[in-house]
Amino acid sequence: MPSPQRRLSVDDGAVQQLVDGLTARKGVHHALLAIASGADGAPRVYVSGRVRPGGPLMMPDTPFFVASVTKLFIAAAVFQLVERNQVRLSEPISAYLPATLVTGLHRLDGVDHGDRVTVEHLLRHASGLPDWLEDRPKGGKALIDGLFEGNDRSLTIEDVVATVRDGLTPHFAPQDLGGGRGRVRYSDTNYQLLMAIVESVTGQPLHQVYADRLFGPLGLAHTWLPGHPPLAPTAAPADVFAGERAIEAPLALASVRDLYSTGSDLVTFLRSLASGAAFADPATARAMQDGWRRFGFPSSPAALRQPNWPIEYAMGTMRFRLPWFLDPRRRVPPVVGHTGSTGTWAFHCPELDLFLAGTVDQATAGPLPFSFVPRLLRTLRP
């Protein structure tokens, strides 16, 4: 049921019915949705199901694994360094990372393009680098499949690079970023490298960078990097599932370095991006939405599980709108933010001045936000 917080001008029953509909899906054991309007006011949080079969009920303050919604945080940390002139978007990543990580990383048709990959290439998914988790080596299977099958282990940035360099092939050369053109293809490798750059430039471990520059200043007391405690006492997180089975891979989940958070914290973070409060200069937040490029149609099993057409991407930020043939009257306005592979989302809808965050914690539900959020907006729209 919705948490006892400030009411929005929405039909609570209709929204709760949508959330309950999520847990009616096969393999979805719980769902959470946080909604807030404007710059002020606590979000309303709707929940359904249990944190695990036979376990406690989901609550409005139950934390969850946000998966690639984390990319919003990574990009924010990078842009804070850009503001301080500690990082330049046009600089090759070799300026910030050791040769052991860069050399041979992007070898295509016998040519090593590692020195051409810039920070901006990584932010935009325009590097062409393969995805260390989702792409499959020739004759093998994706690393993520092995991890979810019980082969839990810790992985370092050196392991990430070795997986990409020794077993995978880049999809294309680093793209020309001028004129708003060029190919983009989603790859978690890009953001693993960005996290390494943040640590290299600051001289601090990532969890400390987040705590000092994002979590503390923005009041995100219930958001944390696995292996490091949140800033305030926080409930145990909900389980993440792959089909009907809870994922028991704590080492791998920590190695991916995606965050845990709550619906309320994600709304607070979205507001800080929308207002520019996350940065010294509010205009910096707008740069994260500069130069949208549309993903192509999926061309491989890995691409089917990743964001693709008609989603657009800027720098750490997605923009999604239903294609015209699915919404000919344009009743569903665009949203900006990010989703994650476990059916998580964090979106701002500027047209309706709404902030939306939620999850179903299901590894097979990556595409779900792109069908659920439009239904939700139709319900919320006056």
Side-chain angles (χ1 to χ4, degrees), residues 92-105 112 114-115 157-158 161 165 193 195-201:
I93 62 174
S94 56
Y96 307 107
L97 297 175
T100 53
L101 295 182
V102 177
T103 303
L105 178 64
D112 187 354
D115 284 340
I157 185 61
E158 288 78 15
V161 167
R165 182 179 53 217
L193 293 168
M195 287 186 282
I197 288 172
V198 169
E199 291 185 316
S200 175
V201 170

Side-chain angles (χ1 to χ4, degrees), residues 1-5 16 31-34 43-48 57-64 235 261-265:
M1 295 297 295
S3 58
Q5 298 168 339
Q16 185 65 52
L32 180 148
L33 167 67
R44 294 189 65 76
V45 184
Y46 302 79
V47 294
S48 182
L57 292 170
M58 284 289 286
M59 300 297 290
D61 63 351
T62 300
F64 54 92
S261 189
T262 63
S264 295
D265 265 19

Side-chain angles (χ1 to χ4, degrees), residues 151-176:
N151 301 321
D152 188 28
R153 59 191 176 99
S154 293
L155 295 152
T156 65
I157 185 61
E158 288 78 15
D159 294 323
V160 172
V161 167
T163 297
V164 171
R165 182 179 53 217
D166 301 336
L168 302 173
T169 301
H171 297 288
F172 47 77
Q175 296 293 284
D176 180 359

Side-chain angles (χ1 to χ4, degrees), residues 344-359:
T344 57
W345 63 91
F347 281 128
H348 177 214
C349 179
E351 185 175 320
L352 302 182
D353 195 22
L354 287 174
F355 299 90
L356 315 167
T359 188

Side-chain angles (χ1 to χ4, degrees), residues 16-326:
Q16 185 65 52
Q17 187 174 10
L18 287 177
V19 175
D20 289 340
L22 293 176
T23 53
R25 293 169 175 247
K26 183 178 180 180
V28 176
H29 300 279
H30 56 252
L32 180 148
L33 167 67
I35 307 175
S37 63
D40 300 311
R44 294 189 65 76
V45 184
Y46 302 79
V47 294
S48 182
R50 298 179 179 273
V51 298
R52 68 190 64 87
L57 292 170
M58 284 289 286
M59 300 297 290
D61 63 351
T62 300
F64 54 92
F65 183 65
V66 308
S68 281
V69 171
T70 303
K71 288 180 173 61
L72 286 170
F73 291 82
I74 299 168
V78 170
F79 272 96
Q80 286 184 344
L81 296 176
V82 171
E83 282 191 320
R84 294 172 170 85
N85 293 316
Q86 293 178 274
V87 168
R88 294 184 180 180
L89 298 180
S90 60
E91 200 79 47
I93 62 174
S94 56
Y96 307 107
L97 297 175
T100 53
L101 295 182
V102 177
T103 303
L105 178 64
H106 193 307
R107 191 175 297 279
L108 184 64
D109 298 328
V111 179
D112 187 354
H113 297 284
D115 284 340
R116 291 181 51 204
V117 177
T118 67
V119 174
E120 186 172 354
H121 280 121
L122 301 183
L123 284 164
R124 292 191 182 279
H125 292 296
S127 68
L129 286 166
D131 190 307
W132 74 290
L133 279 174
E134 295 280 5
D135 281 358
R136 298 177 181 177
K138 188 174 182 179
K141 61 183 178 181
L143 180 61
I144 195 168
D145 292 330
L147 294 175
F148 286 172
E149 289 171 2
N151 301 321
D152 188 28
R153 59 191 176 99
S154 293
L155 295 152
T156 65
I157 185 61
E158 288 78 15
D159 294 323
V160 172
V161 167
T163 297
V164 171
R165 182 179 53 217
D166 301 336
L168 302 173
T169 301
H171 297 288
F172 47 77
Q175 296 293 284
D176 180 359
L177 297 177
R181 301 198 174 193
R183 298 172 64 184
V184 289
R185 181 181 170 111
Y186 195 86
S187 173
D188 277 307
T189 304
N190 294 316
Y191 280 74
Q192 289 288 321
L193 293 168
L194 286 169
M195 287 186 282
I197 288 172
V198 169
E199 291 185 316
S200 175
V201 170
T202 62
Q204 293 181 301
L206 190 63
H207 74 276
Q208 197 64 54
V209 175
Y210 282 153
D212 293 348
R213 305 186 184 207
L214 291 173
F215 301 165
L218 300 178
L220 308 179
H222 307 292
T223 302
W224 74 95
L225 191 68
H228 305 280
L231 298 181
T234 302
D239 284 2
V240 184
F241 291 83
E244 295 295 332
R245 180 173 54 83
I247 296 173
E248 299 290 344
L251 299 178
L253 288 177
S255 298
V256 172
R257 309 181 90 188
D258 284 341
L259 299 169
Y260 284 86
S261 189
T262 63
S264 295
D265 265 19
L266 287 181
V267 165
T268 297
F269 183 59
L270 286 171
R271 282 173 164 159
S272 78
L273 294 179
S275 68
F279 305 103
D281 180 358
T284 300
R286 294 195 292 273
M288 290 177 61
Q289 299 183 33
D290 178 59
W292 297 104
R293 290 167 172 81
R294 185 170 282 109
F295 290 118
F297 290 97
S299 58
S300 68
L304 282 170
R305 299 199 297 194
Q306 298 167 329
N308 50 63
W309 189 92
I311 301 162
E312 298 172 286
Y313 211 87
M315 289 190 274
T317 309
M318 289 179 179
R319 182 168 67 182
F320 174 69
R321 186 173 193 170
L322 285 174
W324 68 268
F325 53 85
L326 294 178

